[in-house]
Amino acid sequence: MLSRRDFINLVIKGAILGNFYELVTPPLAQAVAAGEITKLPVVMIETGTCTGDSISLDNIWTPTFSDIITNILEWRYDCSMNQVQGDTAYGILQETYEKMPNEYILLVQGSMIQRDDGHYNHVAYDKGKLITGLELVRRIGLKAKYVVAIGSCATYGGPVSGYPNPSHATGVQNILPELRVINVSGCPAHPDWIIGTLLHLALYGEPELDKFGRPKLFYGETVHNRCPRRRDYDQGIFATEIGQKTCLFRVGCKGPVTYADCPIRRWNDRFNWPIGCNTPCIGCTEPGFPDMMSPFNAHSPDIPFPGGTKVASDTIGLGVLGITSVAIVGHVATSLYKGRIQKNLLTSSVKGKYPPSIKKVKTFHQYRVKKLPNKE
């Protein structure tokens, strides 16, 4: 079987060359033939979701790769892909839960709807009782070997949890605080991120995670660091409107504060990605999306430094040398961790006669605009 190091190298190399599955499939096929891999059961539960992550996942299942993954992951329950329905399908889920404790992976797609005990989101029917997504995810999750949240909604609440969040939607981690949830974020998550994470779990166990629970294998660097237009940014060559082929930072690109490998992995069978289409990155992999990144075409504010000093983005783009450049790197890292850059992004993007006040919510440096009394 592939060593973990070789697997990671193939995942990254495959993204760059656009043939991830062609590189990974042959050694996995050999491992399957040699009996070195024990199949890992997977169940997928959809909660408050648009099913976008299932559609994204479906787009990579070529016949050759599906044959291999069938031998590695036993896909037992998924309401979008089941060949059976109703009580028969639910019976498979119950069997997995009762007879395979601590053996299966729970894959969750969609935000957790909490208002009124979750009764705005029913996902199953058991003995005459409607089962909420909240109840089922907790029940199945507490006995799972691994819990993986896929997509922005399942990871951090996503668009469903947007202000004012009437459904009290949140991410899976907040309703399973006893466990460490692996977050594969994105709106939707890239199919490579989903399958790559599942393969790592099946072959090597839990991958190295960042502070937001995301596999560093896919979320280890910012979009900005790998962007093919980074040279334009460094030279201060900025687009003045969406559609131009230079750096889109001045028209709202959130690449500098977004962690994902989209620039090398790309989308639609590695054909293109948002910046390749001359539109800004909207930061869909980050906690607080979409509120924290809206409006998507709003320019990020100048970065504040301790003592009240501000450095304009144009200055940073032209390159700041010596001690100042070190200060920028250190301050930006601290600001990202404490949520200051995200807070400034939201504050600067809200237009109105009076500047909004900001309140901080409890989960992951997310900020919401507080309503102000009418002063007119």
Side-chain angles (χ1 to χ4, degrees):
M1 187 173 68
L2 280 172
S3 70
R4 181 178 176 276
R5 181 185 295 273
D6 289 340
F7 175 80
I8 292 173
N9 288 337
L10 287 180
V11 169
I12 297 172
K13 182 179 178 182
I16 296 171
L17 298 178
N19 60 349
F20 170 52
Y21 303 110
E22 292 177 10
L23 289 174
V24 173
T25 296
L28 291 184
Q30 294 173 9
V32 169
E36 298 175 349
I37 296 176
T38 301
K39 291 164 64 171
L40 194 58
V42 177
V43 296
M44 166 115 82
I45 296 176
E46 294 188 35
T47 54
T49 177
C50 65
T51 318
D53 296 289
S54 286
I55 295 171
S56 177
L57 184 58
D58 287 347
N59 286 335
I60 60 118
W61 281 12
T62 60
T64 300
F65 190 70
S66 66
D67 289 341
I68 298 303
I69 203 153
T70 299
N71 289 287
I72 300 169
L73 300 174
E74 183 186 355
W75 212 269
R76 293 183 59 83
Y77 178 86
D78 181 343
C79 67
S80 297
M81 303 183 191
N82 284 344
Q83 294 182 343
V84 295
Q85 299 179 7
D87 292 340
T88 304
Y90 188 68
I92 296 172
L93 182 62
Q94 280 188 308
E95 180 186 44
T96 305
Y97 163 74
E98 293 171 357
K99 297 183 179 180
M100 300 180 178
N102 303 312
E103 294 181 15
Y104 60 86
I105 297 175
L106 170 61
L107 207 60
V108 183
Q109 173 183 194
S111 63
M112 306 310 304
I113 308 300
Q114 300 181 98
R115 186 166 183 169
D116 295 336
D117 296 323
H119 283 289
Y120 293 98
N121 175 229
H122 295 119
V123 298
Y125 191 71
D126 184 16
K127 299 176 182 178
K129 177 187 174 184
L130 287 169
I131 307 299
T132 67
L134 202 63
E135 178 183 349
L136 192 61
V137 168
R138 273 199 59 81
R139 184 197 309 171
I140 304 299
L142 289 174
K143 285 194 174 183
K145 184 174 184 178
Y146 303 107
V147 178
V148 181
I150 60 171
S152 294
C153 292
T155 52
Y156 312 120
V160 183
S161 68
Y163 179 83
N165 195 5
S167 64
H168 301 172
T170 190
V172 175
Q173 182 69 81
N174 289 333
I175 63 102
L176 284 172
E178 307 93 332
L179 307 176
R180 176 156 62 179
V181 175
I182 299 170
N183 290 320
V184 182
S185 59
C187 194
H190 194 288
D192 283 9
W193 303 340
I194 301 172
I195 291 298
T197 300
L198 293 178
L199 287 177
H200 196 289
L201 291 173
L203 301 174
Y204 315 105
E206 184 178 286
E208 185 180 1
L209 306 176
D210 71 5
K211 65 177 180 288
F212 294 127
R214 299 174 297 195
K216 288 186 177 180
L217 173 61
F218 303 110
Y219 303 91
E221 290 191 43
T222 62
V223 168
H224 180 68
N225 283 352
R226 286 171 160 167
C227 182
R229 303 188 187 188
R230 175 63 187 268
R231 177 177 295 182
D232 290 340
Y233 177 91
D234 292 340
Q235 295 177 354
I237 305 172
F238 297 104
T240 56
E241 60 183 29
I242 293 173
Q244 295 178 350
K245 296 184 177 181
T246 50
C247 177
L248 297 162
F249 179 59
R250 300 290 294 183
V251 291
C253 183
K254 305 306 188 292
V257 294
T258 301
Y259 284 78
D261 64 3
C262 301
I264 62 171
R265 199 164 300 278
R266 298 188 293 176
W267 292 80
N268 299 323
D269 199 19
R270 292 133 186 105
F271 181 74
N272 211 336
W273 66 301
I275 291 175
C277 297
N278 302 315
T279 61
C281 166
I282 61 175
C284 73
T285 61
E286 293 304 300
F289 171 84
D291 288 21
M292 194 173 70
M293 301 295 177
S294 299
F296 299 142
N297 61 347
H299 171 50
S300 303
D302 296 333
I303 298 177
F305 282 76
T309 304
K310 290 186 178 182
V311 174
S313 58
D314 296 296
T315 304
I316 296 175
L318 290 170
V320 183
L321 304 178
I323 297 176
T324 306
S325 64
V326 175
I328 288 174
V329 173
H331 181 74
V332 169
T334 304
S335 296
L336 281 171
Y337 180 78
K338 295 186 175 180
R340 288 198 293 263
I341 287 180
Q342 292 91 332
K343 179 177 178 180
N344 290 336
L345 280 170
L346 179 60
T347 305
S348 67
S349 66
V350 179
K351 298 180 180 179
K353 186 173 182 180
Y354 302 101
S357 59
I358 301 294
K359 63 179 180 180
K360 185 175 180 181
V361 300
K362 293 181 179 179
T363 58
F364 295 117
H365 306 309
Q366 295 182 23
Y367 295 85
R368 303 286 186 260
V369 180
K370 182 188 293 184
K371 291 184 179 179
L372 295 176
N374 190 351
K375 298 182 180 181
E376 296 181 354

